[in-house]
């Protein structure tokens, strides 16, 4: 077997536009073959929720191509493929497992089984495929584009290199577009706020070309844009831990637990984030929210006035059920961006980023839990739009996979630098009101960010 590394293979997949659009994931690659996954979404399903046959075939070909590449070499083409469809591909996730049956010289015979994975974890075999994978010779041009293990990420400057050079010279005209991607998480947003404050204190904001935030990360993004990230990090514990803003007992009275509108208005009063409107940052700052009717995450930017900005922040952080009904903005209804993109790196890529600094609120290898409150939120979302419920259900898996890719240094076609809590660091809950716990999390996040950025100091 050739020495094809999982990290290199994931980079190759991330470099394919179709793979990025579908959210295709290479879960594993090794002696037992390659496993490809992609989640069901409205664009690739029929009215009855069946994923289209072309998508099933695409997943199968990806799996056999990577399995074959692991056997005969990194640059390969699919010389032939046959597929038999056995059952409708209905489920949360499509999983294709490709294996090499025989490899000789530059040719590999591969087989693939494609399963649809239901919301309860049950698997249904929906297709089987067989393919011939051929390693290409560098001297021969093949009319069929090969699956290449991209040389780009190894040749492209890393985020660390870009930041070091920009900090040294003050020149940002280097062909790179650096995005700061900020996760939220309710009151756990104090973690990403503290990390943003470190960037602010160290004078790194001029080295950043755009800021993209989701949920509480949108609040932190707006605060950083006006030079108030430090005060925002303090405000979580000193201001917003009050029952005036977060009170679980409100649900007994039929009111939202989180008063998002009050929080955002208070943030504006404290930090004057509305001053961003009309500045250079107005077009470089994006809040990610979920469109209720389409079920898609979209960027809210180019704010027309202070009210538009404040409502965009509110929309981005409107946690389903906990923070009330959807907010209407620009003629559409919106909910929390984290339903679809807890870590909005896809939006950063879509807006032209080439590199991303990601401020995450959980350490690598972890993911959001899914408890009774989440089941209620999913039921609520299903009434609004079944696609929202499906996205919410798949959120933990997407989060873990995205954060791992970010940690590996390459995600969705971007070179990445992850600033994350360290294993064992205190992590507040999304409804945390204990000031001591919040302060401890803020202190730990500050130290963690400085450790991650030690290469600059």
């Amino acid at each position: 077997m050739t020495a094809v590394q999982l990290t290199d293979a994931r980079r190759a997949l991330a470099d394919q536009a179709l793979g990025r659009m579908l959210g295709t994931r290479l879960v594993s690659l090794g002696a037992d073959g390659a496993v490809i996954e992609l989640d069901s979404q409205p664009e690739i399903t029929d009215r009855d929720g069946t994923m289209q046959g072309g998508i099933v075939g695409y997943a199968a070909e990806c799996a056999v191509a990577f399995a074959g590449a692991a056997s005969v070499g990194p640059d390969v083409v699919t010389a032939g493929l046959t597929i038999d469809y056995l059952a409708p591909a209905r489920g949360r996730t499509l999983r294709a497992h490709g294996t090499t049956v025989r490899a000789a010289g530059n040719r590999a015979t591969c087989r693939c089984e494609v399963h649809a994975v239901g919301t309860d974890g049950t698997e249904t075999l929906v297709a089987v495929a067989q393919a011939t994978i051929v390693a290409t010779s560098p001297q021969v041009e093949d009319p069929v584009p090969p699956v290449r293990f991209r040389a780009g990420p190894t040749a492209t400057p890393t985020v660390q290199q870009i930041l070091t050079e920009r900090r040294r010279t003050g020149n940002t005209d280097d062909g790179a577009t650096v995005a700061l991607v900020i996760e939220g998480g309710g009151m756990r947003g104090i973690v990403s706020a503290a990390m943003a404050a470190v960037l602010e204190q160290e004078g790194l904001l001029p080295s950043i070309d755009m800021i993209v935030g989701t949920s509480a990360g949108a609040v932190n993004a707006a605060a950083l844009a006006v030079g108030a990230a430090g005060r925002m990090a303090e405000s979580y514990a000193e201001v917003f831990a009050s029952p005036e803003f977060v009170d679980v007992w409100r649900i007994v009275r039929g009111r939202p637990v989180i008063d998002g509108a009050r929080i955002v208005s208070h943030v504006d009063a404290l930090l004057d984030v509305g001053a961003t409107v009309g500045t250079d940052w107005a077009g470089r700052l994006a809040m990610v929210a979920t469109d209720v009717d389409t079920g898609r995450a979209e960027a809210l930017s180019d704010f027309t006035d202070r009210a538009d900005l404040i409502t965009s922040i509110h929309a981005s952080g409107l946690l389903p059920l906990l923070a009330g009904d959807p907010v209407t903005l620009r003629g559409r209804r919106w909910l929390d961006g984290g339903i679809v993109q807890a870590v909005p790196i896809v939006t950063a890529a879509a807006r032209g980023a080439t590199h991303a600094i990601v401020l995450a609120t959980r350490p690598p290898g972890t993911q959001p839990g899914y408890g009774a409150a989440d089941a209620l939120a999913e039921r609520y979302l299903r009434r609004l739009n079944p696609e929202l419920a499906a996205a919410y259900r798949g959120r933990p898996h997407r989060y873990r996979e995205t954060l791992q890719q970010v940690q590996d240094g390459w995600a969705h076609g971007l070179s990445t630098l992850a600033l994350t809590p360290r294993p064992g660091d205190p992590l507040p809950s999304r409804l945390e009101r204990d000031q001591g716990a919040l302060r401890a999390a803020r202190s730990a996040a500050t130290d963690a960010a400085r450790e991650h950025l030690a290469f600059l100091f």
Side-chain angles (χ1 to χ4, degrees):
M1 177 170 289
T2 60
V4 174
Q5 299 298 318
L6 177 60
T7 300
D8 293 334
R10 281 175 169 164
R11 288 173 176 169
L13 182 60
D15 196 42
Q16 298 174 7
L18 180 59
R20 292 196 302 272
M21 183 177 70
L22 295 176
T24 310
R25 304 181 295 273
L26 178 58
V27 178
S28 63
L29 177 65
D32 57 349
V35 177
I36 288 285
E37 287 186 355
L38 59 90
D39 294 327
S40 177
Q41 47 190 292
E43 294 84 355
I44 61 172
T45 56
D46 297 324
R47 288 187 176 182
D48 63 352
T50 301
M51 282 178 269
Q52 297 163 5
I55 298 298
V56 176
Y58 158 77
E61 184 173 11
C62 279
V64 294
F66 281 111
S71 298
V72 297
D75 292 343
V76 298
V77 295
T78 303
L81 182 143
T82 60
I83 186 168
D84 292 308
Y85 297 94
L86 307 177
R90 299 192 189 103
R92 179 192 66 204
T93 300
L94 201 63
R95 179 178 297 146
H97 183 191
T99 56
T100 298
V101 178
R102 180 177 182 274
N106 70 337
R107 300 176 72 86
T109 300
C110 299
R111 188 176 186 276
C112 180
E113 291 187 355
V114 185
H115 289 81
V117 183
T119 55
D120 59 354
T122 58
E123 296 187 12
T124 302
L125 181 64
V126 298
V128 293
Q130 182 167 312
T132 300
I133 304 299
V134 179
T136 59
S137 167
Q139 286 79 32
V140 179
E141 291 189 6
D142 196 295
V144 181
V147 178
R148 296 197 178 277
F149 289 95
R150 172 183 166 93
T154 57
T156 300
T158 64
V159 178
Q160 291 91 327
Q161 290 170 327
I162 292 289
L163 289 180
T164 299
E165 190 64 13
R166 287 186 173 190
R167 186 177 174 88
R168 185 182 70 83
T169 65
N171 177 32
T172 59
D173 187 18
D174 49 19
T177 301
V178 179
L180 179 64
V181 175
I182 310 180
E183 182 193 348
M187 293 298 284
R188 200 175 57 257
I190 193 172
V191 172
S192 55
M195 293 175 173
V198 172
L199 298 178
E200 180 179 84
Q201 292 160 11
E202 296 301 329
L204 288 173
L205 191 56
S207 296
I208 294 168
D209 300 301
M210 71 172 78
I211 308 177
V212 182
T214 290
S215 195
V219 180
N220 298 340
L224 181 60
V226 294
R231 285 187 289 155
M232 186 67 232
E234 293 175 359
S235 296
Y236 277 89
E238 313 310 326
V239 178
F240 298 113
S242 163
E244 177 185 358
F245 302 102
V246 180
D247 185 359
V248 294
W249 293 108
R250 285 201 195 106
I251 200 167
V252 178
R253 302 189 294 273
R255 295 171 56 199
V257 171
I258 302 171
D259 192 337
R262 184 185 292 267
I263 289 174
V264 176
S265 295
H266 205 72
V267 167
D268 188 33
L270 279 174
L271 310 179
D272 194 25
V273 294
T276 304
V277 177
T279 70
D280 179 52
W281 273 111
R284 298 192 286 142
L285 180 65
M287 320 300 185
V288 178
T290 301
D291 185 311
V292 171
D293 298 309
T294 67
R296 297 177 182 174
E298 297 194 23
L300 298 171
S301 190
D302 299 315
F303 312 105
T304 56
D305 53 33
R306 183 180 291 262
D308 188 47
L309 170 65
I310 297 305
T311 308
S312 295
I313 298 173
H314 182 200
S316 179
L318 210 158
L319 294 171
L321 202 60
L322 292 175
D325 293 327
V327 64
T328 299
L329 174 68
R330 303 179 185 180
R332 298 157 73 182
R333 297 185 301 158
W334 304 93
L335 280 172
D336 181 65
I339 295 172
V340 178
Q341 284 187 36
V343 182
I345 195 164
V346 172
T347 294
R351 293 177 68 82
T354 59
H355 297 71
I357 307 164
V358 178
L359 309 186
T361 65
R362 291 183 175 89
T366 60
Q367 65 185 39
Y370 197 91
D374 295 294
L376 289 174
E378 183 182 343
R379 186 182 305 171
Y380 166 77
L381 291 171
R382 186 173 290 109
R383 291 199 300 268
L384 293 174
N385 180 351
E387 298 301 332
L388 292 175
Y392 190 81
R393 181 74 177 186
R395 187 172 56 105
H397 176 82
R398 288 197 309 276
Y399 180 92
R400 185 186 184 99
E401 182 69 19
T402 297
L403 191 56
Q404 186 58 58
Q405 291 177 5
V406 169
Q407 182 72 11
D408 290 342
W410 190 261
H412 296 281
L414 306 186
S415 175
T416 56
L417 170 64
L419 273 60
T420 67
R422 299 157 299 190
D425 277 355
L427 294 180
S429 71
R430 61 183 172 181
L431 299 179
E432 187 66 68
R433 281 180 43 198
D434 185 310
Q435 288 182 304
L438 289 166
R439 290 167 185 154
R442 182 178 64 210
S443 177
T446 299
D447 292 343
R450 292 194 176 279
E451 287 183 13
H452 287 300
L453 295 170
F455 64 91
L456 289 172
F457 310 137

